[in-house]
Amino acid sequence: MKSGSPGLGRTLGRVKRNGGLYLLLLPAFVLTLLFAYKPMYGVLIAFKDYSPALGIGDSPWAGFKHFEKFFNSYQFFTTIKNTIVISLYSIATFPIPIVLALMVNQMRPNRFRRFFQTVSYMPHFISTVVMVGLMLILLSPSTGLVGNLYKLFGAEAPDLIGSAAWFSSLYVWSDVWQHVGWDSIIFIAALSTVDPSLYEAATVDGASRWHKIRYIDLPMLMPTAITLLILRVGGLLGVGFEKVYLMQNDLNITASEILSTYIYKIGLLSSQYSFSSAVNLFNTVINFLLLILVNQISKKYSENSLW
């Protein structure tokens, strides 16, 4: 007890000296407890036959019954495969914001550069509902832009929105168009911290523009890029629900049924609360394990990691 007193005294003294900062931190700390940690009690639903009338505490225990039901269901491999395909496809486009940031960084700070950045950021502020609505209108085989182009050549337009083979490409590349400018901001900010004297020294040494990008810009971007890539891989099974659900229809359901839409349908539409909670918990655990794994790999082979 005595040995711990000096450490406790130092801690209390540090808190007292920085009382204002801790006071600013208090609302965020309370909100995190209330909305991030307190709801974790509801995870018990996944291990029970939950009944709203009985509540979480009084509902009978079911063990791993709901997990086994999901693993043995015909939807297991379909939802996992579709989720992984879309996620890996999205991760493959990860370098595009980096390329855009390098392009913007090479532009002279003039009106064109500001205009270019503004135009590339604007699609990010389009809501998901409006975005999918635009896709449905433009890709309509009868009245859309694609349909009219095919009619010019006397051909029949394909139903891209209703095609399972095209679903992942439409989802990913529309996402790239909408968010590439916004995602490049953090890389542009990282490049703005580069000391101009490095470029001057490289110019004196006869370095070309490509040499500057390779030996100055890219090394400066690597820590930021690796951190964001770790976070992206950590959410491998966490493909966004809203856009997929809005794009989903009976024709492309074989490629568009992912974990999040499946959880929504069995949980809220079918009222299978325990089963949907088990599927969601499985999703969360896999993402958490992937985050730890990728972080450890990054720590082993590079100097960058989340912790």
Side-chain angles (χ1 to χ4, degrees):
M1 191 72 175
K2 291 182 180 180
S3 61
S5 298
L8 179 60
R10 286 195 296 269
T11 301
L12 292 176
R14 189 160 56 245
V15 172
K16 186 176 180 180
R17 287 193 304 272
N18 301 286
L21 297 177
Y22 283 104
L23 189 61
L24 289 173
L25 181 64
L26 183 61
F29 177 74
V30 172
L31 288 174
T32 302
L33 286 179
L34 292 177
F35 294 100
Y37 287 94
K38 187 176 181 295
M40 285 185 181
Y41 173 70
V43 170
L44 291 176
I45 295 176
F47 303 95
K48 291 192 169 192
D49 285 324
Y50 174 70
S51 170
L54 297 174
I56 298 176
D58 295 330
S59 296
W61 287 95
F64 292 95
K65 181 180 77 173
H66 302 295
F67 293 93
E68 294 173 358
K69 179 181 176 181
F70 176 56
F71 297 152
N72 295 325
S73 69
Y74 74 95
Q75 288 282 19
F76 175 72
F77 288 106
T78 301
T79 54
I80 294 293
K81 183 197 73 173
N82 292 341
T83 306
I84 291 177
V85 166
I86 295 175
S87 293
L88 291 179
Y89 200 160
S90 299
I91 291 174
T93 63
F94 180 77
I96 297 179
I98 299 177
V99 174
L100 181 62
L102 292 171
M103 290 172 55
V104 171
N105 191 57
Q106 293 299 317
M107 297 179 185
R108 294 181 179 179
N110 52 24
R111 289 185 178 180
F112 176 74
R113 175 173 174 171
R114 292 194 294 270
F115 173 77
F116 180 82
Q117 289 182 268
T118 302
V119 170
S120 64
Y121 300 160
M122 285 177 64
H124 174 77
F125 299 98
I126 301 175
S127 69
T128 305
V129 175
V130 174
M131 182 65 194
V132 175
L134 290 172
M135 293 174 63
L136 293 175
I137 293 172
L138 293 174
L139 299 178
S140 172
S142 56
T143 59
L145 176 64
V146 172
N148 288 323
L149 287 175
Y150 271 81
K151 287 178 182 178
L152 289 176
F153 298 96
E156 184 179 352
D159 186 5
L160 298 178
I161 290 292
S163 171
W166 278 91
F167 181 84
S168 57
S169 294
L170 292 176
Y171 176 90
V172 171
W173 288 108
S174 62
D175 224 38
V176 169
W177 174 81
Q178 186 175 10
H179 300 296
V180 65
W182 185 262
D183 293 341
S184 68
I185 291 177
I186 190 170
F187 298 110
I188 294 173
L191 289 172
S192 67
T193 63
V194 178
D195 189 349
S197 63
L198 293 176
Y199 295 116
E200 296 171 1
T203 302
V204 171
D205 291 338
S208 64
R209 179 174 298 181
W210 295 110
H211 287 131
K212 293 175 185 177
I213 293 175
R214 179 178 178 182
Y215 296 107
I216 299 177
D217 293 340
L218 288 178
M220 287 296 297
L221 290 178
M222 285 307 295
T224 303
I226 290 176
T227 300
L228 294 177
L229 184 60
I230 292 173
L231 294 173
R232 179 78 70 89
V233 175
L236 184 68
L237 298 183
V239 179
F241 161 78
E242 296 89 353
K243 188 174 179 180
V244 173
Y245 187 71
L246 291 170
M247 292 176 61
Q248 199 174 80
N249 56 52
D250 293 337
L251 298 176
N252 62 27
I253 192 69
T254 56
S256 62
E257 188 72 295
I258 59 175
L259 281 171
S260 58
T261 57
Y262 182 60
I263 292 168
Y264 169 75
K265 291 175 182 177
I266 62 175
L268 293 182
L269 301 186
S270 301
S271 300
Q272 300 181 52
Y273 303 116
S274 293
F275 183 49
S276 62
S277 297
V279 178
N280 194 40
L281 181 59
F282 165 77
N283 183 14
T284 303
V285 170
I286 296 299
N287 283 335
F288 180 67
L289 293 177
L290 284 172
L291 179 65
I292 295 176
L293 176 63
V294 175
N295 186 73
Q296 290 301 113
I297 294 174
S298 176
K299 184 186 294 186
K300 183 176 179 180
Y301 293 102
S302 70
E303 300 178 354
N304 304 296
S305 62
L306 296 180
W307 64 85

